[in-house]
Amino acid sequence: MSSTVIVRSLTRDRPTWLIYLQLALFATYLYGLSAALPLLRLDQGVSQAVAGLHGTAMAVGGVTSGLAMPRVIARIGRRLTTWIGTAAMTAGVTLVAVTPALPATLLGYGLASAGGSISLYAGMSVLSDHHGGAGPAAINEANAVGVTVGIGVSYLISALAPTPLGWRAGILVTPVAAVLLLVLMGRVWIPGDAGAGGAPAREVPAARKAPFGWRFHTACGVLFCLVAMEFLFNMWAAKLLADRTGMTAAAAATGLTAFTVGVAAGRFAAVRLTLRVDPTRLLTCALFVTLTGWAVFWIGDRPALCYAGLVLSGVGAALQFPLGLARVIASSGGRAAEASAAASVWGSAATGVGPFALGALADGFGTHTAFLIVPLLILCAVCGIAVSSRRAAEARPPAP
């Protein structure tokens, strides 16, 4: 990728805010079910590995929807696709809220992930098309809005857990917010974006399409590492916080709030940076910030130190998914919808492989040792970025 810095502006119109709010709705599901997992495990009385199967169910749902997404979009258009995804996501969260039965909650996590992935990745491809060169900044800001909402949801679940209402009342935010969004902005959409039966805007015509190259698949592999890393924090940081500090599971759920505070701060602060700084350099720096935060959290044994590590980890993780997804789209040769579908498959696989692997290792060696997966993923991501960026630079002709 080029290191040339081009200053761009970002226009936030009504359709842009629709995508932002759809991502905020996605965040209510993602952070809600993530914060609820340790509490759900206690309700069900299952091991950490079995609880990790909820992450696997999310992966299966996301991979399935990612494989189907290109055909669905081609048939009904991206507008209807995002709302169908929202409906499925809402149904999955509601299922988890109404029953503690393991088969039902696994189905709920999977269904919510399938719908959420459709809404997220289809929406991100539209946002990238709509804003052109400022697409990475728009994607980053959309995720900043989403994670801000996630902070409130994760805190709400933690606050409701010891009350008569219980933590399940907290995840009902998702269906309530979905109905409100549909009523208030159901008719809003991106001008010029294709409707049912049309090809997505700016897509390369079918006759010109060729298989994606190795650089695209490398970008997908990097995205896999980034998503897996973020989900490890989302699903298991609270457990490690409880183990290291002696906090109760309900109190330790605030650890996810600390992480999401860092993510929100990092994403809002990074909006201007993504308009002015080389995305590859920015992503690499973010990975090293995450590594530093992980080290502080991993060695900490007091709440204050652990919270500081989680906030710093969140600041680094803030840029990872937006910039990782932007790299996948940028490597697709103008095929944003297909690239987003592929990203959904890789990202969804990461949500299952990462948390389940950590849960299995935690059962055998403890959560503290299992969290060593994080620096391993950072190393793999940095290597993938370095190799693809170096070869991209070598492939560019010398400046005249």
Side-chain angles (χ1 to χ4, degrees):
M1 291 191 177
S2 171
S3 60
T4 302
V5 178
I6 302 174
V7 178
R8 307 180 182 93
S9 61
L10 176 60
T11 302
R12 303 167 188 86
D13 53 12
R14 188 170 170 82
T16 298
W17 278 106
L18 170 64
I19 302 297
Y20 283 13
L21 292 175
Q22 285 179 330
L23 187 59
L25 183 63
F26 170 85
T28 67
Y29 132 70
L30 177 61
Y31 287 97
L33 293 193
S34 296
L37 184 59
L39 304 170
L40 177 62
R41 184 180 75 86
L42 292 177
D43 285 356
Q44 295 177 331
V46 298
S47 68
Q48 294 181 81
V50 172
L53 288 174
H54 288 88
T56 304
M58 294 171 72
V60 172
V63 168
T64 301
S65 64
L67 293 173
M69 199 184 306
R71 294 179 181 176
V72 174
I73 290 175
R75 191 174 188 87
I76 65 175
R78 289 190 284 194
R79 179 179 186 177
L80 186 54
T81 297
T82 59
W83 284 111
I84 289 176
T86 297
M89 177 178 66
T90 300
V93 172
T94 303
L95 184 59
V96 175
V98 300
T99 176
L102 180 61
T105 58
L106 289 173
L107 176 60
Y109 270 73
L111 181 59
S113 176
S117 294
I118 289 174
S119 179
L120 170 68
Y121 288 99
M124 292 299 94
S125 71
V126 173
L127 204 58
S128 178
D129 282 343
H130 186 50
H131 289 282
I139 291 174
N140 187 82
E141 189 170 64
N143 280 272
V145 172
V147 77
T148 303
V149 173
I151 293 172
V153 173
S154 59
Y155 179 79
L156 178 65
I157 289 172
S158 177
L160 289 176
T163 71
L165 288 175
W167 60 266
R168 285 183 172 82
I171 64 175
L172 289 175
V173 168
T174 300
V176 172
V179 172
L180 288 175
L181 184 60
L182 180 61
V183 170
L184 296 176
M185 300 190 74
R187 294 181 177 273
V188 177
W189 193 238
I190 304 297
D193 190 60
R202 303 186 188 179
E203 288 288 295
V204 177
R208 294 172 50 195
K209 290 180 180 177
F212 289 118
W214 71 269
R215 192 168 289 109
F216 174 81
H217 295 296
T218 301
C220 288
V222 170
L223 183 67
F224 176 94
C225 295
L226 302 180
V227 173
M229 192 189 321
E230 185 168 347
F231 265 74
L232 291 182
F233 279 102
N234 285 340
M235 290 192 161
W236 293 114
K239 178 63 170 63
L240 181 57
L241 179 62
D243 289 349
R244 296 290 289 173
T245 64
M247 299 169 67
T248 65
T254 57
L256 180 58
T257 304
F259 180 74
T260 52
V261 164
V263 173
R267 283 180 178 162
F268 278 116
V271 172
R272 290 185 179 273
L273 287 176
T274 52
L275 293 170
R276 292 168 171 80
V277 180
D278 172 37
T280 298
R281 186 176 305 153
L282 198 58
L283 178 55
T284 304
C285 290
L287 285 165
F288 282 105
V289 172
T290 301
L291 180 62
T292 303
W294 166 85
V296 173
F297 175 54
W298 194 71
I299 66 176
D301 57 3
R302 290 173 296 172
L305 189 60
C306 290
Y307 282 135
L310 285 170
V311 171
L312 188 58
S313 297
V315 171
L319 282 76
Q320 291 171 189
F321 173 74
L323 291 181
L325 178 59
R327 283 177 64 87
V328 172
I329 294 175
S331 303
S332 69
R335 294 149 65 179
E338 286 186 61
S340 293
S344 175
V345 173
W346 283 83
S348 298
T351 66
V353 174
F356 179 74
L358 192 148
L361 288 172
D363 284 338
F365 304 99
T367 308
H368 188 245
T369 300
F371 242 82
L372 288 169
I373 293 178
V374 171
L376 178 62
L377 289 170
I378 291 176
L379 176 62
C380 291
V382 169
C383 289
I385 293 168
V387 170
S388 59
S389 299
R390 183 178 68 249
R391 294 193 177 181
E394 292 171 353
R396 289 195 299 269

